[in-house]
Amino acid sequence: PHASFMGFTGTPIATDDRDTRAIFGEYIDVYDLTQAVLDEATVRVYYEARLVQVELPDDVRSTLNVEFDEVTEAAGTDERDRLKNRWARVEAIVGAEKRVREVAADIVKHWEKRRQAEVGKGLIVCMSRRICVALYDEIVKLRPEWHSDDDSVGTIKVVITGSASDGPEMNKHVRSKKRLRELKARAKDPDDPLELVIVRDMWLTGFDSPSLHTMYVDKPMKGAALMQAIARVNRTFKDKPGGLVADYIGIAESLRAALAEYTDRDRERQEMGAPIQEALTVLTEADEVCRELLFGCPWQEALESGSDRARIEALMEALNHLWGGAELDLPDRFAHQERRARQAFAICGTLPEATAFRDELAFFEAVGVEVRKARRDTTGDGSGSDVEMETALRQVVSEAVSTTGVVDIYAEAGLERPDLSIIDEDFARRAASNPRPNLQIELLRRLLNSEVRTLAKTNVVAERKFSEMLERAMRAYNNRSLTAAEVIAEMVEMAKQLKLEYERGAKLGLRDDELAFYDAVCQNDSAVMELGDETLKQIAQELVASVRQNTSVDWDKKEQVRALLRSRIKRLLVKYRYPPDRQEAAIALVMDQAERLAAGAAA
């Protein structure tokens, strides 16, 4: 009798006959929509009014009763009353053939812009099963290639329940539980060609597809049901900037009323119904900032001629400008603003005002992709690269930019191919007269950094040495203590040493893995003096054999196995009388090298 009860709800209700707080008491804690967006647990949902007006012309109004009598002449009184009540409702007007045709045409046009602007799926919500089927038929008339009778293929599907009284046109869209599960799996798979699903009630609750970013609403909804439905498009996914609700029926007032049940902060920020014009404002602002960050760079002049060559030149000029700026964070600031503009365009790209930004945004995006690629090369973090590339490829770009094909940025910067063998004195001489030294330095750094990362997979000592050399050169260049020609000369010298590094093992008679351990034990100068080269080689070879014998899956996470390996390494060093003053440092370095060796074997 003295128990306490606690409940959770995502959809609080407050109506005349149903009130969450009246029954359960005041809220203990509220995690609102605004906080979810701030925590990046969900994305914002934008609202776009695309009302297709319903019509009831005077001539139709005068003949409606006569036509109804003719249609229902053979029906009994009860049936006539049932039909009259049904068709007198809004459903008959909303589902009128002319209006359905207009909605279908608008959805096709809108979706084709959306699918270019953002990777993902769309959901169409209709007022009745009859309208679902009618809308599907109108859409496939416009895009017959989207249709397929086979559930495993096709771009658009209808998901509805069925009854015994349904005719064949309705029944062909009714599926068994197994077929529905398979279709749902397609709808959740972002790589599956199924893009649009038409529903009435199904999938509006409990259906989570993170790649779902657009909901077309042509059905009156309100309260908790409306909020639950709209929440289908607020899931986070890759680079998804937000969800979009396109309203064909007029749910704005219902949306405001539903938001009243949420927190004051949600109502103020309208996290579930931000007008699409907000995204247009962000796009305009971010585009202006991108232009400012490129001030002084002749990128626009290079674009104006319209040729493929000119566009490539403009890209090179922009990159050269960003990497050579007095402000070291200039490339990162540009990439951030370009991303803001791109995400905003993904939301509002269907607005006529947004189309003016399309070509310019395509160019900024090409620059941003290269900047982010350079940053990934710097950090060595490849995570998200596929996401960035996929997003970049799917963004709306102008015909002109997309037809230039793949730009080999190495070739454009004077590097015919990403290969160390071309970095020599002749390259340094040509680089001295290159009109874009900043771009050439950045790409040369990227190439060397890639080689160092490759080396890092096998040799800790060599990787540290070359990483420090590269970092020192770039720091001196950024501080303007080295000129462009001087830093290129240093990088050319580093490329030569890298090439020699790849040949060093063969000259010593050691494999790559043995050379790595040889370098580890050679860090002690007294060991080199006392033991000599041949003994150190012998130690390296035995270390490789011992590590390979004592490392297994997840060994680095099992302290007992690590301790055993550390003990064997120490015994091996004692066996060959490795100087005791540096044994602990050598063991630590060898353990580090062992992890690299084991990781490489696992990969």
Side-chain angles (χ1 to χ4, degrees), residues 450-465:
S450 175
E451 293 291 338
V452 171
R453 286 212 314 273
T454 301
L455 197 61
K457 295 175 182 176
T458 56
N459 195 318
V460 175
V461 176
E463 182 266 334
R464 290 177 183 174
K465 167 189 167 186

Side-chain angles (χ1 to χ4, degrees), residues 72 80 114 173 208 263 353 453 487 523 532 548:
T72 60
R80 284 163 61 87
R114 290 288 291 161
H173 297 290
D208 280 335
T263 66
E353 301 93 325
R453 286 212 314 273
V487 79
Q523 294 308 294
R548 291 194 181 280

